Amino acid sequence: MSITVLLGAQWGDEGKGRITDALAAQADVVARFNGGDNAGHSITVGARVVRLHQVPSGIFRAGCLNVIGNGVVLNPRNLLKEIAEIEAAGAQVTPECLRISQSAHVILPGHIALDAARETSGDSKIGTTQRGIGYAYMDKASRSGIRAGAMADPQRFADRVHQHIVAVNTILERDYNKPALDADALAAEYAAAAHRLAPFLANTTLVLHRALEQGKHVLAEGAQGVLLDIDHGTYPFVTSSNATIGGVCTGLGVPPRAIQRVIGVAKAFSTRVGGGPFVTELHGDLAMRLRGTGANPWDEYGSTTGRPRRVGWLDALALRYMVRLNGMDELALTKLDILSGLDTLRIAVAYTCQGIRIDDLPQDSDVLAECRPVYEDLPGWSEDVRSARAFADLPRNAQAYIARIEELVGAPVSIVSVGPERDQMIVR
Ligand code: IMO
Ligand code: MG
């Protein structure tokens, strides 16, 4: 039995899609265990970049089985759109290569409308992706949600969608002064979606157990990042699922001992979308330099929402905390090429809060918001690193930057991404 877990080690958008895509070459199964279409995993396929939101990143690898686990919240409408995009990019999406857990909860239009209403009403500063993620998980936790398995009977599913819309309409009109949704039209649309998605439904826990028993290699693909975890992230500025290691066991139904290797994906600097404390945040020219103009698909603009991402220096304190919490055996470091040409690079090695030095991540976001970074400065490099294929090909200062990160966070950097192309990667 062996599961390799890939987690975002920061606030999401670390380049997980790129690393999973590379690791999927050796995986028989790729499984998503948390989140929904708030995720945006970019994969380069030939000359195009495809953004996956719900379908696991193994979909472009022939013979790879892709599993959407029970811990995921599923948006049927957007899944159909995504399947069409994947097929346009040349991969077939059939029940042979994609299975959806019957126990995954469904995101319905009412969840999305409520998320959007709250985000735009001024009560919330979370800055969600407005995909209805929080409201779908709320219904799951309050035991009133609808599971994907209900799609096996499209007519009954439509009735339940209708009831959900009617109930949400009361709240939309009363609390937010928003127009009601068309329950009849949506019920009909979701019945049609259910009809198309029903063949993909499965007891994915059993599917995974069988695969593990047959000695197959499973890659568990995390969405979001560990700092957005509902329990261990910077609450309330988090998502509504467990993006940390425990989410793998609950979100797929696999035992912890089946997990053999945990890889954290970290960007060589930091980014965050939405609200919440960000100790190493940068503003001005340097921030623009790291963010990019938006002309390239890999520039720092949300792949789900298009929002410019907040950017900052690498936070080794937060990274070290998350390496420990998740038992990360190794790190994949992405976007090293973006740092080329900077004279000096800074890494936050500790914080100060009201004059006191802090070495561990505070759990209270209000405290975190008061923290200031203690930086260590390292010399930059001017060379283009995109053609490096071995660690020794990197400029000496780039090697030193990576070595210092390893020392500070307590995990080796086993993969370095040096550019957006599939082959622009160093595997040590
Ligand atoms: P991937 O998988 C970056 C952020 C949102 C917001 C907070 C809550 O691409 O790394 P939600 O819609 O989940 O209720 O929003 O979480 N967020 C992400 N940020 N990448 C993601 O996914 C994210 N998914 C959610 O910006 O701050
Ligand atoms: Mg994202």
Side-chain angles (χ1 to χ4, degrees), residues 165-218:
I165 302 283
V166 170
V168 168
N169 278 344
T170 314
I171 306 169
L172 282 176
E173 292 178 308
R174 186 193 62 203
D175 295 355
Y176 294 103
N177 200 22
K178 294 274 183 203
L181 303 173
D182 185 339
D184 292 337
L186 288 168
E189 181 195 337
Y190 277 69
H195 186 72
R196 290 188 53 197
L197 292 174
F200 295 92
L201 295 170
N203 178 341
T204 54
T205 298
L206 275 186
V207 169
L208 289 167
H209 291 180
R210 295 228 170 88
L212 290 168
E213 275 157 24
Q214 289 164 13
K216 298 212 166 137
H217 185 198
V218 176

Side-chain angles (χ1 to χ4, degrees), residues 79 124 169 190 281:
L79 182 59
S124 163
N169 278 344
Y190 277 69
E281 184 165 13

